[in-house]
Amino acid sequence: NAGVTQTPKFQVLKTGQSMTLQCAQDMNHEYMSWYRQDPGMGLRLIHYSVGAGITDQGEVPNGYNVSRSTTEDFPLRLLSAAPSQTSVYFCATTFTGGLNTEAFFGQGTRLTVV
Amino acid sequence: GNSVTQMEGPVTLSEEAFLTINCTYTATGYPSLFWYVQYPGEGLQLLLKATKADDKGSNKGFEATYRKETTSFHLEKGSVQVSDSAVYFCALGNAGGTSYGKLTFGQGTILTVHP
């Protein structure tokens, strides 16, 4: 049982390049989210999805695009990478049983934009 | 909107010392509260949680009590070990199952425990 799998683990991009960070889950959770982690700022929500075909913006969505065609996959696209997008990115899924909103995280993707 | 404030770190302790990491929050309604831990090079793992006022979450010797009157969820451990060295995040989820998986995180506290 893999849980939440993110690829790649590391990536270096040049300014202006585009790329897709992959996230796949085998937990059959409806809710999936993308966060970025920056020093001293904790994790900030980029985009989230409540199910296949439904996505919405989080706190810091600019420069990122998402889609959710299946329950299992939730890719994050950087349209034109900027140095400000250098960060560690985490994908998470959530099981919601009433108030039991525990999130499960992937191992992260460390992205550097030069 | 929701917000979470953690005590600033880093925190450096000797093995077997007592640990407290303060966490306070601002939220409407009755949020769920979580502590996550991130070991070096890894993702976040749930450490403990509490879903209503006066609940105490506990795991691996760590405890935290949901205090609505002080809007706090402080993390404590009576005797830390070197293996507890990690980054600790306090987080808040909206109440009533309406969070859609969204969490609001504090800035994280780096804990280093020396032998």
Side-chain angles (χ1 to χ4, degrees):
Chain A
N1 197 352
V4 182
T5 302
Q6 289 184 238
T7 56
K9 287 188 169 50
F10 302 93
Q11 183 71 49
V12 179
L13 288 179
K14 294 182 179 179
T15 298
Q17 286 185 316
S18 62
M19 80 159 293
T20 299
L21 281 61
Q22 301 291 344
C23 176
Q25 57 116 346
D26 61 3
M27 307 175 82
N28 202 30
H29 289 170
E30 287 297 316
Y31 298 163
M32 297 186 74
S33 308
W34 275 102
Y35 295 86
R36 58 178 290 173
Q37 181 184 18
D38 301 295
M41 301 187 74
L43 277 75
R44 293 180 292 169
L45 182 66
I46 304 171
H47 285 285
Y48 67 101
S49 170
V50 301
I54 307 170
T55 63
D56 205 346
Q57 297 180 350
E59 181 185 353
V60 288
N62 292 341
Y64 307 95
N65 204 357
V66 293
S67 60
R68 183 98 179 270
S69 56
T70 66
T71 298
E72 293 77 21
D73 299 300
F74 190 42
L76 177 72
R77 297 182 184 84
L78 279 70
L79 307 174
S80 178
S84 61
Q85 294 178 303
T86 294
S87 187
V88 181
Y89 292 85
F90 288 100
C91 177
T93 72
T94 301
F95 166 76
T96 52
L99 296 177
N100 186 17
T101 54
E102 176 179 347
F104 297 83
F105 286 82
Q107 296 292 304
T109 295
R110 184 174 293 275
L111 175 67
T112 302
V113 182
V114 298
Chain B
N2 298 337
S3 66
V4 176
T5 303
Q6 285 181 238
M7 65 180 287
E8 292 192 16
V11 175
T12 303
L13 296 173
S14 297
E15 207 164 25
E16 299 183 2
F18 183 84
L19 169 71
T20 299
I21 301 177
N22 289 339
C23 171
T24 57
Y25 68 89
T26 301
T28 55
Y30 300 90
S32 297
L33 299 172
F34 306 87
W35 277 99
Y36 281 85
V37 59
Q38 183 181 31
Y39 297 105
E42 298 185 10
L44 279 72
Q45 305 173 23
L46 180 68
L47 181 60
L48 54 83
K49 63 187 178 189
T51 58
K52 60 183 186 295
D54 299 325
D55 266 2
K56 177 184 282 188
S58 61
N59 186 25
K60 299 182 181 180
F62 292 89
E63 293 183 341
T65 301
Y66 188 161
R67 301 286 189 200
K68 185 161 173 57
E69 65 275 14
T70 54
T71 62
S72 65
F73 193 54
H74 305 321
L75 183 68
E76 297 182 336
K77 186 174 186 182
S79 177
V80 294
Q81 306 300 312
V82 172
S83 58
D84 294 326
S85 299
V87 183
Y88 292 82
F89 292 94
C90 185
L92 175 158
N94 287 352
T98 59
S99 67
Y100 304 125
K102 296 182 290 183
L103 294 171
T104 301
F105 285 87
Q107 67 268 40
T109 302
I110 300 172
L111 171 66
T112 303
V113 180
H114 294 296

